[in-house]
Amino acid sequence: MGLLEKIFGNYSEKEIKKITPLVNKIETLGSTYATLSDEELRGKTQEFKDRLAKGETTNDILPEAYAVVREAASRPHVLGMKHFRVQLMGGIVMHQGRIAEMRTGEGKTLVATLPAYLNALEGKGVHVITVNDYLAERDSNWVRPLFEFLGMTVGVILNSMESNERRAAYACDITYGTNNEFGFDYLRDNMVVRKESMVQRDLHFAIIDEVDSVLIDEARTPLIISGSGSKSTDLYRVADIFVKQLKKGRIVNEEEAMNPLLKEELQEEGDFILDEKAKSVVLTQEGVEKAEKFFSVENLSDPENLELQHHINNALKANYNMHIDKDYVINEGEIVIVDEFTGRMMPGRRYSDGLHQAIEAKENVQVKRESKTLATITFQNYFNKYTKKCGMTGTAKTEEDEFRNIYSMDVVEIPTNKPVARKDLQDVVYRTEAGKFRAVVKDIAKSHEIGQPVLVGTVTIDKSEELSKLLKREGIPHQVLNAKYHAKEAEIVSLAGQKGAVTIATNMAGRGTDIKLGEGVAELGGLKIIGTERHESRRIDNQLRGRAGRQGDPGESRFYISLEDTLMRLFGSERTMKVVDAMGMQEDEPIEANMLTKAIENAQKKVEGNNFAIRKHLLEYDQVMNEQREVIYGERRRVLYGENLRDSIMGMIKDTIGRIIDTHIGEDQLPEEWDMATLSEAFSSIVPIGKINIKDDALIGMTKEKMKESLQNLGVQLYEAKEKEIGDEERMRELERVIMLRVIDQKWMDHIDDMDQMRQGIGLHAYAQRDPLIEYKFAAYDMFEDMSHFIQEDTLKILYRVHIETEAEREEVQRPMFTNKDDSTVKQPKKRKDEKIGRNDPCPCGSGKKYKQCCGRNA
């Protein structure tokens, strides 16, 4: 056992000791509550709410509240299940805002009812987050009798729901749903044009099931809500035709070129270099010349060819980095991404930045248009918005540092209810993949002969199908569970522990279904787990092992590995490979050596470190965007909640006119040196007065400050005249809100796009020995300042020029067409018809056209 394991092991033991008196108190109260009638037990909920209202805290009432939930759950007409002592421990740890690491089969769904009930008593809502709709619906239905018995309401958010159904679900005391649905509803709420259209309440308390899957595995990709783009898709097909003609190359003198003492130049051959370890593919000089000839451009590196470079790079990635039946499948003529951690298909989700379109071109399916980002947030920043959050999972210890650093959550290992009886056997290593698979089939056949059920874990879909063919050849009946057979998933998993069952499954992370042993299986040794390859994350391997040996059941697990596996090929040390070659081993001869086990673990640690760096990098950049997002969303909420904006508008008038004066009049300039024509033009672009008429003699004795004050007063007077023209005070205030919302949304969407473009090129600063992140922060600050000024200017331009024929209508600037982590389609919200701007008025979008010729042409 290493030092860290000892420290963290002791840490968990200490924490369990600290909460033991609380657990004892809950158990002691059990006998008292057992004597209460259903009505008396239910009445405790209102009693707890009253005590909280009088100043007690949730910590004060925890033992009593947990004892009530435990007693209610145990009654036959409710759930008929009583929380074990270890489940009470898990519930206490979670209420404290921490992560409870509990083994598979320890009843985490039941554990979650404890902190959910206690925190729901505050009346601010509790969100229970699961990894998919199936689990959200299953778990909410399973716990509903318990919560309803105690007078609590339970809601569930499903992908298919409309806004009204979502609003009702969020209004419940406890709401179940997936991380994607909660995150997207947050973004959509910050795009609505009326307060009544929002669905979520404030983010109070989150309980995250499979917390490592949600906060670690899925945190590499941000949530994005997108709208339709306008770019043509032809270039994707042309770029695809080009890269398919290229020849894979290599670096001839890599070791010499990397040695600074030798000072050798890099020598390449072929058209492109593929680095599987870094997951990158780049053109060689030869490839660049071919591209210039093919696309008839003089220099591919010229700034005007950036878009062409982008398309070629995506086509290279699609053809040589992304693999069918591993990264994606083709389903009903569409490219569907496969989640690398769970093996599930993710319909509707798309790769961003044009990669999805490049894959569509590669596979010759319909290429859809690139999209425009309307709103985006990372899971890290979304979940950190909750006042309190906690989690539960079977495997979190390996990522404890990340949970502490990014989410301020520590991990406490909860003891199992019964000792673990599963045997975890040492890995068996083969020289070749073919030799490894022959050994796996032999092992399966041996267990199948005596009726012992076997669950085989594979890393990719094509490997699961390859193994399936080998088993068919041997006449061994089996079931295949991968992304292609998603619909049969729950049924296949539930039968995996039956006598004689053989199940092949892609990654089991997040499956959420316990495998119960059939009759007589325990006597045969329980469920046997065979891993056909080590995953790049140790957690995923541990989750596969954890499928066997639930609640003290017998079982065994073993991993079969070959030196040709991706992990070993890319990250295994050369020394290890040389030692194995020196042994002169045969294909079917197994190697059981501690050195190899160590090499595998080191390889996994390397990849985990690399993935953590990617997530940390994403968060550092998104943190800049997050601060700006908070400001913009705060402004929107002020508008949505009907705040009187008149003082803000007056402030905008003074600030904007002040900036115009500062831009056009220098500090030391004399009045006769002022360029009145340019100043007049800039001023009248905002305030519609035509020309500033100031006689030359009036300039005598004029100062910059006097000029500023004079024009600011003029701006205020003209605005007051506009208010009188509109007439109705409330109509004017609503008009200000309508226009402000439209301008904020338009400018924010443009800003997101600009920030994205800027971030893509910011890495070049590293060549100038400057930290790209610091340069990004400086540039982002300047861009945000500019955007804020543009919002003020455009708002004033429209307000000064608006004329009302009928009432102003609040409407989205661009309504979301896609909603997913990388672009998925959602139903369009129905258009609200209450008010309209005059058809002959200037368009509020700031285009300079009449409303009827621009946004209102279809009105």
Side-chain angles (χ1 to χ4, degrees), residues 10 159 199 207 254 256 325 351 596 679 689 778 819 825:
N10 291 342
N159 185 258
V199 296
I207 297 172
E254 189 168 8
E256 293 86 347
D325 285 348
Y351 294 114
L596 282 171
L679 174 61
I689 61 157
F778 280 129
T819 311
T825 310

Side-chain angles (χ1 to χ4, degrees), residues 66-221:
Y66 277 25
V68 164
V69 176
R70 191 181 188 222
E71 174 56 34
S74 71
R75 300 201 169 178
H77 51 285
V78 182
L79 294 182
M81 297 183 83
K82 193 167 192 168
H83 296 75
F84 296 129
R85 188 178 169 83
V86 292
Q87 290 175 317
L88 298 176
M89 290 174 183
I92 294 166
V93 164
M94 285 162 67
H95 169 69
Q96 293 169 343
R98 303 153 101 181
I99 293 167
E101 181 176 285
M102 302 180 76
R103 298 285 181 99
T104 305
E106 290 294 302
K108 291 190 283 288
T109 310
L110 188 62
V111 174
T113 59
L114 298 163
Y117 172 76
L118 176 59
N119 288 273
L121 290 167
E122 294 182 291
K124 296 174 186 173
V126 170
H127 293 171
V128 184
I129 289 109
T130 63
V131 289
N132 59 59
D133 272 3
Y134 163 73
L135 290 178
E137 194 166 20
R138 184 200 74 177
D139 290 357
S140 64
N141 286 336
W142 187 74
V143 299
R144 191 182 302 278
L146 170 62
F147 288 129
E148 288 182 349
F149 173 83
L150 291 169
M152 293 275 182
T153 53
V154 182
V156 62
I157 304 289
L158 301 173
N159 185 258
S160 56
M161 285 182 169
E162 300 288 342
S163 292
N164 288 337
E165 295 172 285
R166 287 172 185 269
R167 200 173 298 109
Y170 281 119
C172 291
D173 296 306
I174 297 148
T175 309
Y176 282 74
T178 67
N179 46 326
N180 283 349
E181 293 304 319
F182 284 116
F184 282 129
D185 282 337
Y186 169 77
L187 288 177
R188 278 190 288 254
D189 274 359
N190 284 288
M191 294 173 70
V192 299
V193 292
R194 291 192 180 278
K195 180 178 69 173
E196 299 75 30
S197 302
M198 296 173 80
V199 296
Q200 279 188 347
R201 295 194 273 169
D202 288 341
L203 304 177
H204 173 53
F205 180 52
I207 297 172
I208 308 165
D209 191 10
E210 302 293 356
V211 66
D212 55 325
S213 178
V214 173
L215 297 189
I216 305 284
D217 299 337
E218 297 214 33
R220 282 193 287 178
T221 318

